Structures are given as structure tokens and as C-alpha cells.
């Protein structure tokens, strides 16, 4: 079920995550969404099918970054960055009556093979199922260790990494993420 198992009502504070937003044009993608996913069972398996479809059909590449790209453009072009795959997955979920919100944070390199490229901020999304929010990642499709949630909102407009007015230059930006062994955490509690 898209919401609770006993009732199909949605809490008022969650309703806004069913509506279109700046980068998530529900009205433009509702027909393709229902063509792709309309026959699937509602709930977790539907969200996973949407997540898998976005992962398998959208080519990831930093060269495709565009701060004004919308979910409809990503669906049409089939290219984008994590922000774009997230907007598309959110939009498809909303089209299927599943509340979905944008979630942004820092993704470290814990538990993955060494990569000389620095880790970065990343976009994921959360869906409201069974009375709580669950995180999905349309870029990686698997849970990653050490993702640090920084903000949630309707789309990237609500969760900008920075908002500036007038000319600006970012000269340096560094974030560190280190794995803390479970034994250390247990000892601190």
C-alpha cells in the first residue's frame, strides 16, 4: 500500500510530497509512469521497480550536469547526475501516489573499492511507506555506508548546497568522513 497498511490516508504533513515541484513535473510524467508501473503491486516493490528503472535507463555522467534540468528532461534525454536521477525517481513515485522527497548529504568512500576521485555531496530520495520515511538511491541502487543526511525537501530547490546572491568564487571545500568501529561506538554509549 502506498501509505499505511490499514488505511489509504496520508498524513497532512506528507501531502506536499505528492505534488509537483520546480524540478519534479508530475503532470508531465504521469502517463509514462502509469504505462511503465501501473500494473505493479503498490508499496515497497513498486518503489524498487522505479528505482531500478531509473538506474538502468539513465546514463550517469558529470558532463551532463545542468542546474536547470528537470525530471521530464532527464526522462527524455536519459542522461544526468545524481540530482537528476533523484528528481526523476521522486517524480515517478509521486505519479504513482507514493509521497517522495529529495534528500541530500555527503557520501563518503567507506566500504567501497579505492577511487582516487574525491567523494562528494550526493542526492538520494525518501519515500513514505508504512508510516515512515525510507531512503533510496537511484544512482547507486545499493545502500552505502556513511551517508550523512544534511537536508530534505520537495526537490533540490529546498536543499541547495549553497545559495549565493551576486558574484562568488568557491576557493576550497573539503569534507572528511571516517568509519568509526562498532566497538568504539558501544564504549561511548
Amino acid at each position: 500500500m502506498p501509505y499505511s497498511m490499514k488505511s489509504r490516508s496520508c498524513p497532512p504533513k506528507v501531502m506536499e510530497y505528492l505534488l509537483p515541484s520546480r524540478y519534479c513535473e508530475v503532470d508531465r510524467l504521469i502517463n509514462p509512469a502509469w504505462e511503465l508501473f501501473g500494473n505493479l503491486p503498490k508499496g515497497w516493490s513498486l518503489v524498487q521497480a522505479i528505482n531500478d528503472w531509473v538506474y538502468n535507463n539513465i546514463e550517469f555522467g558529470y558532463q551532463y550536469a545542468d542546474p536547470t534540468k528537470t525530471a521530464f528532461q532527464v526522462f527524455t534525454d536519459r542522461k544526468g547526475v545524481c540530482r537528476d536521477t533523484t528528481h526523476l525517481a521522486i517524480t515517478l513515485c509521486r505519479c504513482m501516489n507514493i509521497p517522495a522527497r529529495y534528500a541530500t548529504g555527503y557520501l563518503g568512500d567507506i566500504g567501497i573499492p579505492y577511487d582516487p576521485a574525491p567523494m562528494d555531496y550526493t542526492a538520494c530520495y525518501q519515500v513514505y511507506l508504512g508510516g515512515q520515511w525510507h531512503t533510496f538511491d537511484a544512482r547507486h541502487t545499493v545502500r552505502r555506508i556513511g551517508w550523512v543526511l544534511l537536508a530534505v525537501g520537495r526537490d533540490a530547490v529546498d536543499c541547495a548546497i549553497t545559495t549565493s546572491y551576486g558574484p562568488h568564487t568557491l576557493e576550497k571545500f573539503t569534507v572528511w568522513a571516517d568509519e568509526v568501529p562498532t566497538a568504539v561506538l558501544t564504549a561511548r554509549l
Side-chain angles (χ1 to χ4, degrees):
M1 297 283 163
Y3 313 117
S4 72
M5 298 304 281
K6 294 186 178 186
S7 76
R8 296 183 61 88
S9 64
C10 184
K13 65 183 178 185
V14 174
M15 292 294 289
E16 72 178 295
Y17 300 109
L18 286 167
L19 301 173
S21 59
R22 166 67 178 87
Y23 294 107
C24 302
E25 312 112 297
V26 174
D27 53 335
R28 296 189 79 183
L29 286 171
I30 197 159
N31 289 334
W34 277 89
E35 288 171 15
L36 288 167
F37 308 109
N39 293 324
L40 298 177
K42 304 302 180 212
W44 192 275
S45 61
L46 174 57
V47 177
Q48 190 62 56
I50 289 169
N51 197 76
D52 292 344
W53 188 92
V54 172
Y55 176 78
N56 290 318
N57 289 279
I58 305 303
E59 179 184 346
F60 177 85
Y62 291 111
Q63 69 272 25
Y64 306 130
D66 177 347
T68 63
K69 189 181 287 186
T70 67
F72 182 76
Q73 291 168 313
V74 176
F75 182 80
T76 303
D77 299 343
R78 305 288 166 107
K79 298 174 184 173
V81 293
C82 61
R83 163 190 159 124
D84 303 322
T85 58
T86 296
H87 283 143
L88 180 55
I90 288 169
T91 305
L92 295 173
C93 286
R94 290 177 185 174
C95 287
M96 301 307 296
N97 299 313
I98 296 173
R101 67 186 184 186
Y102 191 91
T104 189
Y106 180 77
L107 182 61
D109 54 4
I110 299 169
I112 62 169
Y114 174 75
D115 183 347
M119 296 312 292
D120 200 355
Y121 278 88
T122 191
C124 293
Y125 64 104
Q126 296 178 331
V127 297
Y128 191 79
L129 294 171
Q132 64 184 4
W133 292 101
H134 301 274
T135 302
F136 285 79
D137 184 345
R139 173 168 178 221
H140 297 104
T141 72
V142 294
R143 291 187 180 262
R144 298 276 299 271
I145 299 169
W147 183 60
V148 179
L149 176 65
L150 297 176
V152 295
R154 294 167 298 166
D155 58 30
V157 169
D158 295 341
C159 305
I161 186 173
T162 184
T163 302
S164 58
Y165 302 94
H168 64 281
T169 302
L170 178 63
E171 294 182 11
K172 185 174 182 181
F173 186 83
T174 306
V175 177
W176 292 271
D178 296 314
E179 185 172 9
V180 176
T182 304
V184 173
L185 289 174
T186 306
R188 290 184 181 172
L189 296 175

